């Protein structure tokens, strides 16, 4: 299963710390052509789930395309390519990113660093003073602040976001409006005949850091928002951030209790018939820094996923 986020023409901005999360429409087109040549069938997530349960009718190698968060470019740039190849896909929509209420601190961080020569920030009582004068120092500042913020409690992430907005003149809701789909766009995807719109929480918080009631609210509420807007039942979910530190048994139990049928992680790996836990399906990230078909072949060989699993195992 492939994990993508954004699909849009290449930007020549020198500082793109989230560049790994976007590919060009031409690359998506080339990947789909390549999969066809390799006789790898692109199927819907529901068909893949049936095959993984041993109920599916098809045989042979298959792939599923997934896009996270609900970026506007999924409609503008990805859908035309999907239509050209008649390739189904799942788009995991974070409802708060659509209505402008989610706290996307990593986007604020990117913007503050991009637009300023220095960034000062308090995180959990520690003062970070980061030089951001050139591309190299901007990247270093982003890595340093990302590391500090991603493990901070949700309340602290909200406070830091508010500080970033106030200090550097940023507006989260406006930024999301510019980047994300609106609800009409979500409905356009849902009625395209190719895209299944699925849940990705309400605020994109790391679920493992939330109380049980808030965690349930994120899972159930995010799916309910989409159902209300599209009129379509939601049965699939993607854990925000999707790594070991972001979800575990408790979150998987809540997903099951919510009646959802599949949930995907961001951990690297392949779907296997009869083997894959449908509430923690691994994915292969189509990384924007490696937009070549040769690299896709390396990904399909399973080598990077195997190496990543070995690394995780040795870190545990
Ligand atoms: Zn996400």
């Amino acid at each position: 299963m492939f994990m993508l986020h954004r699909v849009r023409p290449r930007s020549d901005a020198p500082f793109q710390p989230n560049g790994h999360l976007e590919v060009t429409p031409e690359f998506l087109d080339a990947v789909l052509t390549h999969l066809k040549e390799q006789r790898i069938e692109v199927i819907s997530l529901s068909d893949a789930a049936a095959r993984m349960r041993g109920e599916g009718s098809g045989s042979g190698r298959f792939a599923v395309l997934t896009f996270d968060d609900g970026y506007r470019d999924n409609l503008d740039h990805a859908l035309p390519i999907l239509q050209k190849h008649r390739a189904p896909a799942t788009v995991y929509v974070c409802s708060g990113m659509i209505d402008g209420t989610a706290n996307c601190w990593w986007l604020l961080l990117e913007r503050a660093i991009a637009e300023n020569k220095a960034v000062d920030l308090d995180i959990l009582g520690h003062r970070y003073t980061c030089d951001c004068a050139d591309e190299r120092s901007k990247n270093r500042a982003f890595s340093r602040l990302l590391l500090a913020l991603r493990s901070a409690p949700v309340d602290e992430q909200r406070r830091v976001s508010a500080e970033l907005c106030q200090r550097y003149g940023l507006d989260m809701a406006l930024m999301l409006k510019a980047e994300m789909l609106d609800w009409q766009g979500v409905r356009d995807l849902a009625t395209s005949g190719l895209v299944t719109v699925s849940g990705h929480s309400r605020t994109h918080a790391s679920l493992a850091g939330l109380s049980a009631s808030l965690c349930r609210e994120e899972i159930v509420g995010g799916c309910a928002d989409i159902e209300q807007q599209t009129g379509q039942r939601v049965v699939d979910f993607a854990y925000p951030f999707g790594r070991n530190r972001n979800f575990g048994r408790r979150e998987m139990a809540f997903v099951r209790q919510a009646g959802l049928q599949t949930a995907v992680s961001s951990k690297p790996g392949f779907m296997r018939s009869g083997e894959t836990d449908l509430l923690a399906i691994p994915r292969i990230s189509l990384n924007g820094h490696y937009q070549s078909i040769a690299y896709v072949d390396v990904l399909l060989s399973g080598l990077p996923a195997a190496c990543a699993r070995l690394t995780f195992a040795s870190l545990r």
Side-chain angles (χ1 to χ4, degrees), residues 16-156:
Q16 295 188 60
N18 293 310
H20 60 293
L21 298 179
E22 63 179 80
V23 300
T24 64
E26 295 75 26
F27 182 62
L28 178 62
D29 191 9
V31 169
L32 288 171
T33 300
H34 185 64
L35 292 176
K36 198 176 288 173
E37 287 166 1
Q38 298 295 308
R39 297 183 193 286
I40 297 174
E41 192 185 357
V42 178
I43 63 176
S44 68
L45 175 53
S46 60
D47 285 349
R51 288 202 200 184
M52 284 185 282
R53 282 192 292 259
E55 298 163 1
S57 55
S59 59
R61 298 176 79 193
F62 61 92
V64 175
L65 297 177
T66 66
F67 299 82
D68 285 14
D69 298 342
Y71 288 94
R72 181 181 294 268
D73 55 50
N74 290 183
L75 181 68
D76 297 341
H77 295 296
L79 184 62
I81 309 282
L82 298 176
Q83 285 166 329
K84 175 182 164 189
H85 292 270
R86 291 193 204 89
T90 290
V91 174
Y92 294 106
V93 168
C94 170
S95 60
M97 288 174 80
I98 305 305
D99 59 28
T101 56
N103 174 27
C104 301
W105 50 267
W106 62 97
L107 297 179
L108 288 176
L109 204 56
E110 174 180 352
R111 188 68 67 91
I113 292 172
E115 292 177 356
N116 293 281
K117 293 208 177 323
V119 168
D120 283 327
L121 211 50
D122 273 319
I123 302 173
L124 290 170
H126 184 90
R127 186 89 191 149
Y128 292 83
T129 303
C130 299
D131 169 34
C132 302
D134 55 30
E135 187 192 338
R136 197 187 170 99
S137 56
K138 282 182 194 296
N139 280 309
R140 200 180 312 129
F142 187 81
S143 306
R144 191 169 163 227
L145 294 172
L146 179 81
L147 206 62
L149 255 180
R150 75 177 181 194
S151 53
V154 170
D155 289 348
E156 178 66 356

